[in-house]
Amino acid sequence: MKRFFSRLASVLAACALLLGMVAPSFAAETTSGQLFEFLTQENPDYAEVTALEDDILKELRLAVGYSGAEDIPDDLTGYYANAYKVYRDTQILQMDTAGEEELRAALEEGPYSWVIPFPHLHGSSYNVPVSWDGETWTVGAGQEYQEDSPLPYAEAASQRIDRLPQGNYTAVLVDGLTHIQQPVSVVFENGEAQYFIEAQYPLYLEGSEEEKQALVAPGFSLDDGIFQYDKIAQVARNMPPPNPELMGGPILDASYLDSSSTSNQMEWVLPVGLGLAGILVIALIVAVVVRRRRAA
């Protein structure tokens, strides 16, 4: 009997070791730090953006409204330091690579915006984008947000990145991707795009709960807004081009994920490991019963 319990303990220890190997390892929360690019005075775009201050103030006044004109700042110098870079309309998900060098090079060749956040003005917060299309600079319309919304995009994305397993990450903010059309963050580790993270707004996903969950990074849920980059890119590449005549916003259909890639390590290794452990325990019990009957 002692030998049975000894063997059972060995089986359970092996199960624990197997679970430890496949479960995501979460050390202390990683610190995202200065992941994104901000508009410092050393940045080559600083002079171009600040030269448009009159236009920036004009759009801010229009967004705030005349009733809040007294809240408009006289000097925007302090606000420029919080402006963050958002790459636009570069379809990196369609590229057949997840390499950081290649994706960053493609983004740098495309248009981008410096988004200037203006929190706590007249009971709300605002964003004013200053955009570069490769030839000219333009100031976009100000966007209003309620005070309880996670503003700005860089802050919302950073909060999610801080929940990733401990690692050395870099990241970019991207907007205008096919089937998505909202700001998101692409997070790199070891030279590869690893994570696709919501930056304020949840992704609009179609498909079954199982299909949606297959896109989520191991150890997280749909509500966390942290996805696997390669799975999101695969769905975007497999989907047909969006029909501009259809009503409604862009939606990512999780059913377009190839069935061959929907199983991650946790989805198949864990059930198999538990199944094998159960078989071993049953075999040991049967062996003990048979031995006792023979002895009797």
Side-chain angles (χ1 to χ4, degrees):
M1 195 66 178
K2 289 183 179 180
R3 182 176 298 178
F4 165 72
F5 285 111
S6 176
R7 291 178 178 176
L8 181 60
S10 299
V11 171
L12 295 177
C15 293
L17 179 60
L18 176 63
L19 293 177
M21 290 172 62
V22 300
S25 175
F26 289 89
E29 287 188 350
T30 184
T31 301
S32 59
Q34 196 85 327
L35 281 172
F36 305 110
E37 187 176 352
F38 289 83
L39 188 63
T40 63
Q41 294 188 19
E42 292 75 26
N43 192 287
D45 292 342
Y46 186 85
E48 302 286 353
V49 174
T50 56
L52 297 170
E53 183 164 311
D54 289 344
D55 293 331
I56 296 170
L57 284 169
K58 176 182 176 181
E59 294 297 337
L60 183 59
R61 291 190 184 97
L62 289 173
V64 172
Y66 292 107
S67 60
E70 68 277 5
D71 293 332
I72 302 297
D74 295 326
D75 184 6
L76 300 186
T77 302
Y79 292 89
Y80 293 134
N82 295 321
Y84 52 92
K85 194 172 189 178
V86 179
Y87 295 97
R88 298 186 295 107
D89 304 327
T90 301
Q91 302 309 318
I92 58 173
L93 293 178
Q94 307 302 323
M95 297 174 60
D96 191 23
T97 180
E100 179 174 5
E101 184 176 351
E102 293 88 348
L103 295 183
R104 282 185 177 274
L107 291 170
E108 290 293 345
E109 292 178 358
Y112 59 87
S113 298
W114 290 103
V115 179
I116 309 173
F118 295 92
H120 315 304
L121 294 181
H122 199 60
S124 296
S125 295
Y126 300 85
N127 277 342
V128 176
V130 180
S131 303
W132 172 249
D133 64 4
E135 295 182 358
T136 58
W137 289 94
T138 57
V139 179
Q143 299 172 304
E144 180 181 3
Y145 301 91
Q146 297 302 314
E147 284 295 306
D148 58 353
S149 64
L151 182 79
Y153 304 138
E155 180 180 337
S158 292
Q159 289 175 359
R160 289 186 169 92
I161 294 172
D162 282 340
R163 299 179 57 194
L164 295 178
Q166 191 173 30
N168 185 21
Y169 302 107
T170 58
V172 291
L173 288 163
V174 187
D175 195 5
L177 296 173
T178 301
H179 305 297
I180 297 173
Q181 296 292 319
Q182 65 190 64
V184 294
S185 176
V186 176
V187 180
F188 304 98
E189 185 181 25
N190 300 324
E192 295 286 324
Q194 300 290 348
Y195 298 100
F196 192 89
I197 291 182
E198 294 173 359
Q200 191 178 88
Y201 302 109
L203 292 181
Y204 294 103
L205 296 174
E206 280 188 344
S208 67
E209 290 302 307
E210 182 179 1
E211 289 169 337
K212 294 176 184 178
Q213 188 63 40
L215 305 180
V216 177
F220 295 97
S221 69
L222 279 169
D223 292 336
D224 294 321
I226 300 175
F227 301 87
Q228 302 176 74
Y229 180 86
D230 60 338
K231 301 294 181 65
I232 294 290
Q234 186 180 107
V235 169
R237 286 195 296 267
N238 290 345
M239 287 184 65
N243 186 346
E245 297 181 358
L246 294 179
M247 300 296 291
I251 295 177
L252 200 68
D253 191 341
S255 67
Y256 279 86
L257 182 66
D258 288 345
S259 59
S260 61
S261 63
T262 56
S263 297
N264 59 31
Q265 191 180 45
M266 286 295 294
E267 289 174 332
W268 70 269
V269 175
L270 183 58
V272 170
L274 292 176
L276 290 175
I279 292 172
L280 289 173
V281 171
I282 293 172
L284 285 173
I285 294 174
V286 171
V288 170
V289 172
V290 171
R291 182 174 298 178
R292 284 183 174 181
R293 287 181 177 178
R294 289 179 176 176

